Amino acid sequence: MTSEKHLYAIPTNRDASKSIKSLANDIAVAIDEHVLLPEQLIFVLLDSSTQATFDRNHAQLKASFKALKITCLHIPVSAFDALLNQVLDPKLAALVVGSGFSYGKMVNKISIIAHLLGAHYIHRRDSDVYLQANNTQITPLIAEMRAFNENDQFLLVGSSYLGAWGIDYSDVADDLPTLRKLFSERV
């Protein structure tokens, strides 16, 4: 077991209540199996959804994590972006905050949050994924913890799960040569 803090992060812009409920079980199993101590884990829901959806996500977060003794934060992206705009150099803020949604920017924000909270490892999940039913032997979090124990060079992970896996290439949508490289059959 690693002794450092771990950030378990779900960025979302949608109703993630079913995913939150499912992924809370990922954490519960890891704690029950003594793979991770509750005081080592910080859960963050980085949310850019509408107010009504934010409220649904928050209610599910409270219900799902009530029994778990871990730190949980539900962060509105707009508030975090406003903070970043205040404290960062404008050129850097433009790269991290910018305008429009970007998966890359969300990963950067999660990394900043991990640093601010003193987390050494990041476990990132999508908001439309769920654990496989009856999976209590080897959950994604347990697999990641085992991998960290073998090699702590990797600090940001995600793992096998069920759900849509979208690829966001909007940041290079107008760059045809880069798109050809990304989707080329050659390696």
Side-chain angles (χ1 to χ4, degrees):
M1 176 187 316
T2 64
S3 60
E4 292 88 359
K5 285 188 179 180
H6 294 252
L7 179 74
Y8 193 106
I10 301 176
T12 191
N13 62 354
R14 67 183 83 197
D15 182 347
S17 54
K18 290 179 183 176
S19 185
I20 293 165
K21 183 177 181 179
S22 176
L23 294 173
N25 291 325
D26 187 19
I27 294 168
V29 170
I31 290 171
D32 288 347
E33 294 294 320
H34 306 286
V35 174
L36 195 62
L37 299 173
E39 58 269 15
Q40 286 181 273
L41 191 64
I42 303 165
F43 178 88
V44 169
L45 183 62
L46 188 57
D47 199 336
S48 62
S49 63
T50 65
Q51 187 61 51
T53 302
F54 185 96
D55 293 343
R56 270 193 306 279
N57 287 341
H58 192 73
Q60 186 62 58
L61 181 70
K62 286 174 62 175
S64 295
F65 286 90
K66 187 175 187 178
L68 295 174
K69 304 292 186 221
I70 66 169
T71 301
C72 290
L73 302 171
H74 190 182
I75 301 173
V77 172
S78 58
F80 191 64
D81 285 351
L83 176 66
L84 292 173
N85 278 322
Q86 287 177 357
V87 299
L88 294 178
D89 175 270
K91 289 181 182 177
L92 183 57
L95 292 172
V96 178
V97 176
S99 62
F101 181 80
S102 164
Y103 284 102
K105 290 175 188 167
M106 290 303 276
V107 172
N108 291 341
K109 291 172 190 179
I110 290 168
S111 298
I112 291 169
I113 291 168
H115 177 73
L116 292 171
L117 297 173
H120 188 73
Y121 298 102
I122 300 171
H123 306 268
R124 184 196 179 282
R125 302 290 187 265
D126 285 336
S127 61
D128 61 348
V129 299
Y130 315 92
L131 288 183
Q132 295 176 0
N134 303 319
N135 185 6
T136 59
Q137 296 300 311
I138 181 77
T139 67
L141 186 56
I142 290 173
E144 292 164 1
M145 292 300 297
R146 288 181 182 166
F148 284 147
N149 286 330
E150 292 176 19
N151 182 350
D152 67 356
Q153 296 296 312
F154 302 101
L155 305 177
L156 170 67
V157 295
S159 61
S160 59
Y161 49 72
L162 297 177
W165 189 322
I167 299 173
D168 179 18
Y169 57 88
S170 59
D171 289 341
V172 293
D174 59 349
D175 183 353
L176 198 54
T178 299
L179 287 174
R180 283 190 180 121
K181 288 178 188 174
L182 287 173
F183 295 102
S184 170
E185 290 186 29
R186 288 193 240 166
V187 177

